[in-house]
Amino acid sequence: MGSVALAGNPHDDFAANPDACAACHRVHTATAGNLIKDPSGTALCQTCHWSGVGADTDVMNGKYVAGGEPDHQWGDPNMNLLGGGFNYIQNVSTTTSKHTMDTPLVPFGAEPNQSGGATVTLKCVSCHTPHMDKGHLGQYRLLRVRPNGVTSDKIVTWNGPWANETEQTYQANGYRAYTDRDFDSNVPDIQRYTNNYKAGQDQWCAACHSRYTTRQDTGTYDAGDIFGNVMRYRHNTDSMITGVIDPVNGLHYDLTTDLPLNRPSGLGSDIDNTMSCLTCHRVHGTDAVMSTQAAMDALERGQLPVGSTLLRRSQRGVCTNCHANI
Amino acid sequence: MKAGAKYLANIMKVEPEGMTLRFAFAYLALAAAMALAMVLFLSHPVYGYSPHGPFSSDTDKCTSCHRLHLANTEKLLPVSSTTGLCVSCHSKGQGADTAVMEGVYIEGLGPAAAHTWGASGALLLGGGFQYIDNTQAVTGSHQIGATGTPYGGNGAVYTLGCQDCHTPHYNNNYRLLRQRPGGAASDLAVAYNGPWTDATQTVQGGTYKAYTIADFSAGNLNSEQEYTRNYQAGLGEWCAQCHQKYMTRGWSSTDVYNAGDIYGSTARYRHAVNKVITGSTDEVNGASYNLYTDLPLEDVTGNGRTADDRLTCLTCHAAHGTAAKMEGSSVLGPDRGSLPTGADGLSLRTDGRKLCGECHNF
């Protein structure tokens, strides 16, 4: 695997970096469609985003490496990536679950049922576009606007982008856009991460995990567990956690959490913050540990995996971080 | 039958709907469903610790009862019946020391620290829903899954499930009793002489066990301190959230009602509750009482059996069910009104009306 060290960002600002095209493309000797020089899209991404060879965000080792690109201060050096890593967390802890790449799989919660959804062979480019979509400059983390073949735009807004490395710091409290701390051992200041997300995460994730944005299905389905073809209920997403009455079970909630929330108003941590998929789950991988009950009995978990299911905290620490008084 | 199918079949049958307490067949249907439950739940995984909390911030226990994305109910439970979920542990040999269906304590399945809170193989203090001591069929119980109006109630109809009385999540009440049962508008504290964190509960004295009793119905009424230590205050008010009339003595013009018996709409009188039985004067009949009993009382000051102990609902009744036998005149006749059929043991702690004589010694 060859590495590509770039002075500029290959994903944007091509006018200032006219040589960036060659980082990924070969006009006459390409080995893949879109004139990609490497036959594997994933490997091409990894040439920069692995081991600090060309990008600050080492997504394989789950670590921020300051020095690879101009926006060095958007993460704390050597800290965990907010999305986790595919192989390791902070270059040390082996991941216990991840979005598995290059393997045909049916996403959990996919239509038409848990086991019958469309098979997806996940690659980096399944979620991210290498080029910034000029029509959607605010799209968070270069996420595809139409992932998994959806027919309408899935806009994911965030409290950026920032034009330079100092601008993001005005968001206060040492916030960094790319890194976090270990939620297990050091649940951080809530403002650090809530600053990042704004809106649209859940609907974006639902492009694959289509059932997970609704509380209840209109019909029954077999999730592969021992309960068979029955009505299924789910935890809410995209909803406030403070001062709300649950529309399904009627309970009144006034919760607080240190986990990341969406911040729709962009005005700081407030009661309008909403929980999203990323409140509980990392995107790339996690080293959270599940034991005994948290691992779930095989008869009951259905086709859910054995393991940590990308949760940010070990066991069910993500549950108690909101529901502390139970 | 596959283990999973067995499990499902069980939990789907624990809460039959549309049943009325006054229908005799309710007993048969319920007994049949529970009997099936006992057999089928044997396939359920055994968890060796309490899922009720209090929880640490990194607990793994949420998944013992909840599924975040594949649940069967709006409270994110994996089964359609809350009662079925409870019974999946609280029936014999499944995952809890307290086998409430069989009415027996089985040491070694629940939290390790609580293993000595009951005498292994002994009757549960609250009785059982299906059996007592795993052998005697109950003659009266709070009928789980049945729909009806509580005796002495205000007419509200309930379909009783475990969760109507108990919260699965930790609180400070005795036996995790709900703080607001029956739609109570404010929290109801039920104090007890605990909680105990380990086997040191024995410092409460004697051979006292928090979960088990001797068989009252067999006449073992000779160890009063064992049970009085358990209760402290609030039980009467708590029960009265469904059985509203039973907290008052009645006999006032505002308490005239038709109890469904042959006497029609008339003032009704009731036995005292929350009442000191030693050195007290009855506010209704003016009689002076200096009574003694081996039945459980509320130990209000937490100082063991003393003169300030009070009679409560659980002095006479077990909360879940008993095998008390009703014979002779203790079998209620046509004048029973809305009370259950004559052979129903009313969850009384002793056969017949022996427990009346236990205090009144007539």
mmCIF file of all heavy atoms in Angstrom, chain A residues 50 72 74 100 138 141 148 170 177 272:
data_model
loop_
_atom_site.group_PDB
_atom_site.id
_atom_site.type_symbol
_atom_site.label_atom_id
_atom_site.label_comp_id
_atom_site.label_asym_id
_atom_site.label_seq_id
_atom_site.Cartn_x
_atom_site.Cartn_y
_atom_site.Cartn_z
ATOM 1 N N TRP A 50 -4.683 6.123 7.794
ATOM 2 C CA TRP A 50 -4.188 5.004 8.589
ATOM 3 C C TRP A 50 -2.744 5.287 8.966
ATOM 4 O O TRP A 50 -1.915 5.554 8.104
ATOM 5 C CB TRP A 50 -4.283 3.692 7.782
ATOM 6 C CG TRP A 50 -4.129 2.436 8.631
ATOM 7 C CD1 TRP A 50 -3.725 2.355 9.931
ATOM 8 C CD2 TRP A 50 -4.377 1.102 8.201
ATOM 9 N NE1 TRP A 50 -3.727 1.063 10.350
ATOM 10 C CE2 TRP A 50 -4.121 0.256 9.323
ATOM 11 C CE3 TRP A 50 -4.801 0.530 7.015
ATOM 12 C CZ2 TRP A 50 -4.258 -1.126 9.263
ATOM 13 C CZ3 TRP A 50 -4.940 -0.837 6.956
ATOM 14 C CH2 TRP A 50 -4.681 -1.670 8.069
ATOM 15 N N HIS A 72 -4.962 21.324 11.948
ATOM 16 C CA HIS A 72 -4.358 20.498 12.981
ATOM 17 C C HIS A 72 -5.048 20.575 14.322
ATOM 18 O O HIS A 72 -5.003 19.619 15.087
ATOM 19 C CB HIS A 72 -2.898 20.909 13.177
ATOM 20 C CG HIS A 72 -2.077 20.719 11.961
ATOM 21 N ND1 HIS A 72 -2.313 19.745 11.037
ATOM 22 C CD2 HIS A 72 -0.999 21.412 11.524
ATOM 23 C CE1 HIS A 72 -1.412 19.840 10.063
ATOM 24 N NE2 HIS A 72 -0.618 20.858 10.337
ATOM 25 N N TRP A 74 -8.159 20.831 15.193
ATOM 26 C CA TRP A 74 -9.547 20.409 15.324
ATOM 27 C C TRP A 74 -9.681 19.143 16.172
ATOM 28 O O TRP A 74 -10.769 18.678 16.436
ATOM 29 C CB TRP A 74 -10.174 20.209 13.938
ATOM 30 C CG TRP A 74 -10.351 21.518 13.205
ATOM 31 C CD1 TRP A 74 -9.794 22.713 13.514
ATOM 32 C CD2 TRP A 74 -11.153 21.726 12.058
ATOM 33 N NE1 TRP A 74 -10.187 23.676 12.631
ATOM 34 C CE2 TRP A 74 -11.024 23.102 11.705
ATOM 35 C CE3 TRP A 74 -11.954 20.919 11.269
ATOM 36 C CZ2 TRP A 74 -11.684 23.662 10.619
ATOM 37 C CZ3 TRP A 74 -12.607 21.473 10.182
ATOM 38 C CH2 TRP A 74 -12.478 22.832 9.866
ATOM 39 N N THR A 100 -18.381 -3.171 9.998
ATOM 40 C CA THR A 100 -17.495 -4.077 9.271
ATOM 41 C C THR A 100 -17.478 -3.724 7.792
ATOM 42 O O THR A 100 -18.523 -3.628 7.160
ATOM 43 C CB THR A 100 -17.962 -5.529 9.441
ATOM 44 O OG1 THR A 100 -18.015 -5.829 10.825
ATOM 45 C CG2 THR A 100 -17.022 -6.485 8.736
ATOM 46 N N GLY A 138 -22.343 22.226 3.818
ATOM 47 C CA GLY A 138 -22.398 22.037 5.265
ATOM 48 C C GLY A 138 -22.533 20.601 5.697
ATOM 49 O O GLY A 138 -22.651 20.319 6.883
ATOM 50 N N ARG A 141 -18.931 15.810 7.958
ATOM 51 C CA ARG A 141 -17.939 14.753 7.719
ATOM 52 C C ARG A 141 -17.987 14.190 6.292
ATOM 53 O O ARG A 141 -17.727 12.993 6.079
ATOM 54 C CB ARG A 141 -18.132 13.582 8.689
ATOM 55 C CG ARG A 141 -17.891 13.910 10.144
ATOM 56 C CD ARG A 141 -16.415 14.070 10.436
ATOM 57 N NE ARG A 141 -16.124 13.883 11.840
ATOM 58 C CZ ARG A 141 -16.012 14.876 12.745
ATOM 59 N NH1 ARG A 141 -16.171 16.133 12.349
ATOM 60 N NH2 ARG A 141 -15.722 14.619 14.001
ATOM 61 N N ASN A 148 -26.723 4.711 0.438
ATOM 62 C CA ASN A 148 -27.449 3.450 0.221
ATOM 63 C C ASN A 148 -28.596 3.589 -0.783
ATOM 64 O O ASN A 148 -29.627 2.928 -0.670
ATOM 65 C CB ASN A 148 -27.993 2.915 1.562
ATOM 66 C CG ASN A 148 -28.340 1.438 1.495
ATOM 67 O OD1 ASN A 148 -27.759 0.678 0.709
ATOM 68 N ND2 ASN A 148 -29.289 1.012 2.309
ATOM 69 N N TYR A 170 -14.206 28.997 19.482
ATOM 70 C CA TYR A 170 -15.152 29.908 20.123
ATOM 71 C C TYR A 170 -16.359 29.137 20.642
ATOM 72 O O TYR A 170 -17.118 29.618 21.482
ATOM 73 C CB TYR A 170 -15.598 31.021 19.167
ATOM 74 C CG TYR A 170 -16.775 30.665 18.299
ATOM 75 C CD1 TYR A 170 -18.085 30.965 18.721
ATOM 76 C CD2 TYR A 170 -16.603 30.032 17.075
ATOM 77 C CE1 TYR A 170 -19.176 30.623 17.934
ATOM 78 C CE2 TYR A 170 -17.686 29.693 16.300
ATOM 79 C CZ TYR A 170 -18.961 29.987 16.727
ATOM 80 O OH TYR A 170 -20.033 29.643 15.962
ATOM 81 N N ALA A 177 -13.487 19.220 17.319
ATOM 82 C CA ALA A 177 -14.464 18.631 16.398
ATOM 83 C C ALA A 177 -14.191 17.160 16.100
ATOM 84 O O ALA A 177 -15.090 16.429 15.696
ATOM 85 C CB ALA A 177 -14.479 19.415 15.093
ATOM 86 N N ASP A 272 -33.264 22.136 24.243
ATOM 87 C CA ASP A 272 -33.730 21.702 22.923
ATOM 88 C C ASP A 272 -32.800 20.662 22.315
ATOM 89 O O ASP A 272 -33.028 20.192 21.207
ATOM 90 C CB ASP A 272 -33.895 22.894 21.988
ATOM 91 C CG ASP A 272 -32.561 23.519 21.616
ATOM 92 O OD1 ASP A 272 -31.543 23.175 22.258
ATOM 93 O OD2 ASP A 272 -32.549 24.354 20.693
#
